[in-house]
Amino acid sequence: MIEKSILCNFTTYEQSIANNNWDTALYEDKHTFVWQYGEDLLKLLNPKSGESILDLGCGTGQLTDKIAQAGAEAWGIDSAPAMIEKARENYPHIRFDVADATNFQVEQPFDAVFSNAVLHWVKEADSAIASIRQSLKPGGRFVAEFGGKGNVQAIVTALYSALESIGIPQTQVENPWYYPSIGEYTTLLEQQGFDAIYAILFPRPTPLAEGEAGIANWIKMFAGSFFAGLSPEQQIKIIPVIEEYLKPTLYQQGTWTADYRRIRIVAVKL
Ligand code: BEZ
């Protein structure tokens, strides 16, 4: 059992729900690809028995559990209380805590920090990198994958076009995502005392579950902030408009495929 504690600015449960309104049942049921693809990243992490590894943005804990199964002492953190609650229920033998990627601190540093499909939600990349650095031993590794430059570009374009078609300009819409190039992200890492030893940006078209409803479910799960200014009726009406825009490029033979582009990075703390 790891005996380290996380010192962080905890938000209240109500604030966190307001900011991280995750439907964990929908997430676990329809978005299994999030951690299934993450298994590739685990190979890059190569967790070893006896290592201590922090899973940053652990969601409902599936990859944290894989890290623990490899014999490492795993600890998962996530900013969404609902995710942490579910992770604890799923894997009661593993420690999980609510913490924010931009301001967590640990008392004793880890051998590695691992993060899958999370950092594209963290626009304050400098603050996240500072927290990651602080939580690593010298020589410790940071292994991450997230959405990179051009990620879900067709979906974003369709969201903006559909909103514009009902009179809402792009300037009034909150895009919650940060999709840096590898040059941009590795520079941020190097500026804070990391050696970026591996970095790649690659397309990873991702088939969505649920057949015809696939893109609507994805949008409801992940893109809610685009619709913050819309009435419930407008929200219901806009989804088919977005589907129409996307159908020619992302829908084939009953399956929607999201146009993901991933960044994968390994960096070592100097
Ligand atoms: C991604 O994994 O690239 C992603 C997931 C949800 C929303 C946006 C991007």
Side-chain angles (χ1 to χ4, degrees), residues 33-34 117 120-121 146-148 151-152 177 179 204 218 222 260-262:
F33 63 82
V34 175
H120 49 256
W121 296 102
F146 52 101
N151 193 39
V152 293
W177 302 315
Y179 297 136
R204 200 203 61 205
W218 190 95
F222 297 121
Y260 281 23
R261 274 160 65 90
R262 319 308 289 166

Side-chain angles (χ1 to χ4, degrees), residues 27 34 41 57 115-121 144-147 262:
Y27 177 79
V34 175
L41 188 65
S115 182
N116 179 55
V118 168
L119 292 170
H120 49 256
W121 296 102
E145 178 171 325
F146 52 101
R262 319 308 289 166

Side-chain angles (χ1 to χ4, degrees), residues 44-124:
L44 205 56
L45 174 69
N46 190 18
K48 294 183 198 74
S49 180
E51 283 190 321
S52 60
I53 299 183
L54 182 68
D55 183 3
L56 171 60
C58 59
T60 47
Q62 282 75 11
L63 294 176
T64 327
D65 180 52
K66 299 270 182 209
I67 294 168
Q69 280 178 29
E73 293 183 272
W75 189 357
I77 60 173
D78 200 289
S79 63
M83 291 289 189
I84 289 299
E85 202 178 309
K86 190 75 178 100
R88 286 177 180 154
E89 201 181 301
N90 287 344
Y91 308 104
H93 55 292
I94 297 176
R95 181 169 176 184
F96 293 99
D97 284 294
V98 178
D100 186 325
T102 61
N103 68 9
F104 68 92
Q105 291 185 332
V106 299
E107 282 177 345
Q108 287 174 45
F110 289 80
D111 292 300
V113 173
F114 172 84
S115 182
N116 179 55
V118 168
L119 292 170
H120 49 256
W121 296 102
V122 183
K123 289 186 173 175
E124 293 170 54

